[in-house]
Amino acid sequence: MEKLYKRGRLMYIIEAGVEYLISILVADMYLARLTKALGIGDNVTGILSSVISLGCLFQLVATLLRRGKSKPIVIAFSVLNQLLFMFLYVIPLTDWDKGVRQGIFIVTIVLAYFFYNVVHPKKINWLMSLVDDGKRGRFTAKKEVISLVLGVAFNFAMGALIEHYEAQGNIRGAFILCGASIFGFMVIHTLTMLLTVEKEQEKPAERENVKNGSIFDALKDKNVLKVTLVFCLWQISNACATPFYGAYKENDLGFDAVFGVAILGAIYALARSIFSFVWGKYADKYSFARMLQICFTIAGIAFLVNAFCRPENGMVVYTIYYTLNAIAMGGINSALINLCYDYVTPDKRTDALAVSLAISGVCGFLTTLAVSPIVSAVQKNANTVFGMSIYAQQLLSALAFVMTMLTMLYVTFSMVKRGKSPRAIKLREENEQ
């Protein structure tokens, strides 16, 4: 079986890399190009960007998908999700009415994230079960680094091709290329999961009540609530500003596809790759909570830097922000998921992850919805606030800085200072020996 698990871990790394390439094509400046072609404004584009967070609400459905194997439903829903992502690039090519195209686009992206998020906790639980507990930090780092390297190569190639099509005034050709790429990646992604073994699950009780051993039981667990609050605070911090950055780079800072996607992507990947290994080793030795304390501090500084980003200094300041953000995200993403493994018992991990992602996703979406009027108001006022030339994204970056530092303080006092997670206690005992 160990050979099958080893192959499964390799397939997991490839699966994550291909899924990352697909995610690139439906986010940030790629999404901004699509919405621009459909005549959708910056404030709505920001809200659509945060649909990723809202989609996590659908992960509550995962708490109902408890019986049977994970593999079949994960594969089926992943295919549906990726076909819908591909369809996003078909919509601008149609001759439908503008309002109809915008409506179909919004429905499609929501459905796409519905199918993605419903099975995401089951997929993570399935694939992470193939990794030894003591190696999760380093394995996650390796997986992320490989994804980032693939992303760099892909961004340079795709960026150059899109620039070529745009220079010819052929944006339709660029959209066809992106849609076809998603389809090709979908085929590879499906094959990796088909080749991945699934561990045998423990037999469930004969009668399983939805209120017992599911979402309601998870919410009664103090450790689950503690982890969920970290998820929520970070989502709120992030949702204050980042959903609006794609349109900011495209429409105000004036970044082209080569710099805005490829060059920045390479810088991001290099910084995140280096620090992913650093954070992974640090977390395996000390704890993911301690790693989050440091990473949230760096993320807060990044938002503060971006509060000074304007068209006249955009290339320099945004690059500094993006680099700091990459360093922080090299630890944040893996740490959040691994908090569930540190604080929650194995039988509750799928539910804990689903609940944390769902509730935090709603918080993130509502945050973006709440700050969206700020973007509209500032833009309608010719980017002027109290007589000063200020862009909406600068204000939102300052707000994100404050929220991120509050998140860091919560982790410090509720987790790091107490150090009561089962894994943290075990690590401390091992280090003292």
Side-chain angles (χ1 to χ4, degrees), residues 219-364:
L219 289 173
K220 293 177 182 177
D221 191 316
K222 291 182 179 179
N223 285 327
V224 173
L225 289 175
K226 184 181 292 187
V227 170
T228 300
L229 187 53
V230 178
F231 273 74
C232 290
L233 288 171
W234 171 241
Q235 277 287 0
I236 291 170
S237 305
N238 208 39
C240 287
T242 52
F244 302 94
Y245 286 165
Y248 192 46
K249 291 187 290 180
E250 173 79 10
N251 302 326
D252 297 302
L253 301 182
F255 295 170
D256 57 27
V258 173
F259 179 77
V261 177
I263 295 177
L264 281 178
I267 294 171
Y268 183 93
L270 178 62
R272 184 164 172 174
S273 297
I274 294 171
F275 279 87
S276 287
F277 284 112
V278 174
W279 299 137
K281 290 180 180 178
Y282 183 88
D284 283 339
K285 185 176 182 181
Y286 297 104
S287 75
F288 285 96
R290 285 185 177 274
M291 183 178 76
L292 271 179
Q293 181 187 32
I294 301 171
C295 290
F296 281 149
T297 301
I298 297 172
I301 294 171
F303 283 125
L304 181 61
V305 167
N306 216 33
F308 297 94
C309 183
R310 300 173 54 81
E312 56 266 30
N313 63 21
M315 293 183 72
V316 175
V317 177
Y318 196 87
T319 300
I320 295 172
Y321 152 75
Y322 212 50
T323 303
L324 290 172
N325 180 261
I327 293 171
M329 293 305 296
I332 290 174
N333 275 359
S334 65
L336 287 174
I337 291 175
N338 278 294
L339 279 183
C340 289
Y341 286 81
D342 275 8
Y343 282 83
V344 183
T345 56
D347 59 306
K348 295 180 182 178
R349 284 172 182 170
T350 296
D351 291 342
L353 185 59
V355 169
S356 296
L357 288 169
I359 296 176
S360 65
V362 173
C363 290

Side-chain angles (χ1 to χ4, degrees), residues 42-60:
D42 288 5
N43 60 325
V44 179
T45 299
I47 293 172
L48 286 176
S49 297
S50 69
V51 165
I52 299 173
S53 299
L54 179 65
C56 293
L57 175 64
F58 303 131
Q59 294 193 7
L60 290 178

Side-chain angles (χ1 to χ4, degrees), residues 59-108:
Q59 294 193 7
L60 290 178
V61 179
T63 63
L64 304 178
L65 304 175
R66 302 179 62 83
R67 292 177 178 166
K69 290 184 175 294
S70 298
K71 187 172 177 177
I73 192 169
V74 169
I75 293 175
F77 277 41
S78 295
V79 169
L80 287 171
N81 152 247
Q82 289 156 13
L83 284 174
L84 288 169
F85 277 154
M86 182 185 70
F87 186 61
L88 293 176
Y89 282 96
V90 175
I91 297 171
L93 306 179
T94 66
D95 57 359
W96 300 330
D97 179 75
K98 178 181 176 180
V100 172
R101 290 195 299 173
Q102 291 178 348
I104 292 176
F105 185 88
I106 293 171
V107 170
T108 300

